[in-house]
């Protein structure tokens, strides 16, 4: 007996976005980035399937993510099983940049000195944001002429960072919470989290924001104090600082000859060196 005709099944409704995201496994090693990606998607009411269809454009527009951030989260999404289009990490632009202004002590403000010490260390120890987040004070030794950073991955000699380091250490010693903190880059104030406290460990996102603020404030200070003879040069440098991220700062330091701390970014830095040589003729 022939079977009776059956109408086509309706499309299965998608589960609520929060439930759909909860079903996906978190990519190992990218837990904070995955959490922020999910939060950004939920703000726009997007589940994993919807995000795969739209790509990251709605999130980029809402969060004003920079190209390097878009590249990072596109990779994290794919690691979690969400097929968004691949975005490549942009090369540093300009190819070379004077970074010394970011390592100059301009005031005794703790936030300023913390950033200056970070930038000075990164010129000789161009680690990732995550590595700086976990860097402890007992891993940085002071000698007569330089700092020595010793981690599980090796030991690095960092010249030219003593002034910034001593200025930061002297100011933080005035505040008990900062003086007792084991972290090189501790929190200066309490955050929204229940476990946040002065001297606590900063998040990766907080450090990225901290660097961007330091770069903008440095650009503002340079413009305010530039002599008429250097006005044009300072304006060009300050304009580059306004959009500088720590990832670009690190790659520029690597391209300038700083020894690689790990494999991440080293190949791209060598590519930048080759590009610079080609441009020079």
């Amino acid at each position: 007996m022939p079977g009776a005709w059956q109408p086509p099944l309706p499309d299965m409704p998608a589960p609520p976005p929060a439930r759909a995201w909860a079903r996906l496994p978190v990519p190992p090693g990218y837990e904070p980035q995955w959490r922020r990606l999910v939060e950004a998607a939920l703000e726009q009411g997007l589940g994993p399937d919807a995000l795969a269809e739209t790509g990251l454009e709605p999130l980029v527009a809402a969060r004003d993510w920079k190209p390097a951030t878009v590249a990072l989260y596109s990779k994290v999404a794919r690691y979690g099983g969400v097929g968004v289009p691949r975005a490549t990490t942009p090369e540093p632009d300009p190819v070379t940049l004077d970074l010394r202004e970011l390592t100059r002590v301009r005031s005794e403000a703790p936030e300023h000195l913390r950033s200056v010490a970070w930038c000075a260390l990164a010129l000789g120890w161009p680690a990732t944001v995550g590595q700086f987040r976990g860097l402890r004070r007992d891993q940085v030794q002071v000698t007569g002429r330089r700092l020595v950073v010793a981690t599980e991955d090796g030991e690095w000699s960092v010249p030219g960072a003593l002034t910034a380091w001593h200025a930061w250490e002297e100011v933080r010693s005035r505040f008990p919470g900062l003086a007792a903190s084991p972290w090189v880059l501790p929190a200066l104030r309490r955050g929204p989290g229940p476990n946040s406290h002065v001297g606590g460990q900063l998040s990766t996102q907080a450090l990225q924001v901290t660097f961007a603020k330091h770069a903008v404030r440095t650009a503002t200070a340079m413009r305010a104090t530039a002599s008429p003879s250097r006005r044009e040069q300072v304006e060009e440098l300050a304009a580059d600082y306004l959009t500088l991220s720590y990832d670009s700062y690190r790659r520029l330091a690597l391209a300038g000859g700083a020894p690689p701390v790990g494999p991440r970014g080293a190949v791209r830095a060598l590519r930048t060196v080759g590009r610079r040589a080609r441009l020079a003729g």
Side-chain angles (χ1 to χ4, degrees):
M1 175 177 160
W5 175 83
Q6 296 286 340
L9 294 174
D11 292 334
M12 293 295 292
R19 186 186 304 170
W21 283 109
R23 292 177 177 177
L24 295 181
V26 179
Y30 291 91
E31 290 82 2
Q33 293 83 359
W34 179 260
R35 184 181 67 254
R36 289 193 290 273
L37 174 67
V38 172
E39 290 173 353
L42 289 176
E43 285 180 1
Q44 304 305 311
L46 298 175
D49 293 339
L51 188 65
E53 293 179 4
T54 65
L56 295 182
E57 286 76 8
L59 279 57
V60 174
R63 293 280 183 115
D64 194 25
W65 283 344
K66 294 182 179 180
T69 305
V70 176
L72 171 62
Y73 285 125
S74 69
K75 177 175 68 174
V76 171
R78 292 193 304 275
Y79 287 171
V82 182
V84 299
R86 181 185 301 271
T88 58
T89 303
E91 301 290 345
D93 188 18
V95 179
T96 61
L97 187 66
D98 183 2
L99 304 175
R100 292 171 297 176
E101 290 293 336
L102 294 164
T103 69
R104 184 167 298 176
V105 175
R106 287 186 165 86
S107 74
E108 290 193 349
E111 187 171 11
H112 169 73
L113 293 177
R114 182 186 61 182
S115 299
V116 168
W118 178 12
C119 291
L121 265 174
L123 280 185
W125 189 66
T128 63
V129 173
Q131 288 171 306
F132 265 107
R133 177 178 181 264
L135 185 64
R136 302 187 307 275
R137 295 166 78 186
D138 60 13
Q139 293 177 302
V140 181
Q141 304 299 320
V142 181
T143 69
R145 294 186 176 181
R146 60 194 64 209
L147 300 177
V148 176
V149 179
T151 70
E152 296 177 353
D153 299 318
E155 185 174 289
W156 289 264
S157 178
V158 183
L162 283 176
T163 299
W165 180 264
H166 286 310
W168 168 226
E169 284 288 298
E170 195 280 328
V171 165
R172 71 182 291 175
S173 67
R174 304 175 190 172
F175 304 92
L178 298 180
S181 173
W183 307 112
V184 168
L185 303 177
L188 302 180
R189 58 187 64 88
R190 288 195 61 180
N195 297 323
S196 177
H197 62 278
V198 174
Q201 189 178 27
L202 284 172
S203 68
T204 299
Q205 185 177 22
L207 282 174
Q208 289 170 333
V209 171
T210 293
F211 179 88
K213 288 169 60 178
H214 176 60
V216 170
R217 289 170 178 172
T218 300
T220 302
M222 290 167 54
R223 284 172 165 167
T225 58
S227 62
S229 61
R230 298 188 65 247
R231 177 72 62 184
E232 183 176 351
Q233 177 185 357
V234 168
E235 283 292 335
E236 291 179 359
L237 185 58
D240 290 327
Y241 281 1
L242 291 177
T243 59
L244 188 65
S245 67
Y246 176 73
D247 286 339
S248 292
Y249 182 92
R250 174 176 174 268
R251 293 198 298 274
L252 287 164
L254 286 166
V261 174
R264 179 179 170 186
V267 173
R268 182 171 286 109
L270 292 175
R271 190 185 306 141
T272 302
V273 172
R275 178 185 170 199
R276 181 174 58 191
R278 290 192 302 272
L279 292 175

